Amino acid sequence: MSELTYTLVTDGSSDASLKAVLEWLLKANGVSCAIQGEWEDLRQMPRPPKTLEARISAAVALYPCEVLFVHRDAENASRHVRRSEIAAAVQAATFEEGRPPVWVSVIPVRMQEAWFLFDEIAIRRAVGNPSGRVALQLPALDRCEDMADPKTRLYETFREASELGAGRRAKLRVAMMTHRIAEYTEDFSPLRSLPAFAALEQDLREAIGQRGWDRR
């Protein structure tokens, strides 16, 4: 059976939750074959590479792929600056076949947590309280990319949605819940109104069309 393989290189381990977003986008843009994705877990290497180009080289060597997703949070830089940094790192990286796979930059503004602050049902399921009734003060979707610290806002929302007492809330493993919310979110189409998400989808759509991945 034909399949499409991808590897995701991220800023940190918590960003592996972006796999759910990427696989939704691939399917939403016509990829109907099986999708096999890997997050570049290099932590078990004797000397894990630190620079972006070295991590890209190691990731593709360990997880050969047809498409390479490279994630950088925009934080206080523009998408153009981050994309230029990724392009330079891919160019500087080394590949066994001499050239890189097709690569697509993944640049949330400001952090990837901003892309998980819109689905109330997924948030409640992620904290294990799907029938919760407390009102969640979610930000307006068109303001998510303007938030100064979406990670803190998401973690606070998890705690609110749990409806636990103060002591038990403090012990919640909120970082793990980011992975859960990615799994529980069934439809990321509302994010298409966000410029950074729209830019990612456009880049990916072009790659899919050029390589014929939607015709497998």
Side-chain angles (χ1 to χ4, degrees):
M1 178 182 292
S2 177
E3 67 175 13
L4 175 66
T5 59
Y6 76 84
T7 298
L8 171 62
V9 175
T10 65
D11 279 344
S13 59
S14 64
D15 301 309
S17 56
L18 287 167
K19 285 182 63 183
V21 177
L22 299 174
E23 292 181 15
W24 182 89
L25 280 169
L26 286 166
K27 294 173 183 177
N29 286 277
V31 176
S32 58
C33 67
I35 299 172
Q36 179 63 44
E38 297 286 353
W39 170 66
E40 49 99 19
D41 189 355
L42 308 179
R43 294 171 295 182
Q44 303 305 315
M45 296 180 66
R47 296 181 180 179
K50 296 182 179 180
T51 65
L52 182 56
E53 57 264 34
R55 288 193 291 114
I56 288 172
S57 300
V60 175
L62 288 172
Y63 309 107
C65 58
E66 293 172 87
V67 58
L68 171 68
F69 291 104
V70 184
H71 159 257
R72 292 291 311 277
D73 283 331
E75 296 180 332
N76 294 320
S78 69
R79 181 179 185 276
H80 175 73
V81 168
R82 289 291 184 241
R83 193 181 189 285
S84 296
E85 291 173 353
I86 291 171
V90 172
Q91 185 174 9
T94 56
F95 303 97
E96 292 182 2
E97 296 185 359
R99 61 180 180 179
V102 174
W103 64 273
V104 176
S105 57
V106 184
I107 310 171
V109 178
R110 302 179 182 257
M111 304 174 186
Q112 60 109 1
E113 285 80 7
W115 287 357
F116 296 110
L117 270 166
F118 73 96
D119 192 327
E120 183 174 322
I121 294 174
I123 289 172
R124 295 187 192 278
R125 293 180 68 189
V127 301
N129 188 27
S131 300
R133 291 292 183 268
V134 65
L136 303 181
Q137 303 301 318
L138 298 181
L141 186 57
D142 61 0
R143 296 182 58 193
C144 285
E145 291 189 345
D146 297 325
M147 296 176 61
D149 189 355
K151 179 182 289 188
T152 295
R153 181 64 177 273
L154 181 61
Y155 287 2
E156 289 174 350
T157 302
F158 285 147
R159 295 185 179 100
E160 292 172 3
S162 73
E163 300 185 31
L164 297 172
R168 295 180 67 188
R169 284 190 189 192
K171 297 178 182 179
L172 283 176
R173 300 176 65 186
V174 288
M176 291 297 297
M177 291 175 183
T178 304
H179 294 283
R180 293 180 192 168
I181 192 176
E183 296 170 359
Y184 288 133
T185 302
E186 297 180 357
D187 182 10
F188 289 97
S189 62
L191 296 180
R192 285 172 166 156
S193 64
L194 302 180
F197 187 87
L200 166 60
E201 183 167 25
Q202 179 60 33
D203 289 348
L204 184 55
R205 184 183 297 118
E206 291 177 3
I208 291 171
Q210 291 170 1
R211 295 291 173 143
W213 294 331
D214 54 346
R215 298 189 296 274
R216 289 188 174 182

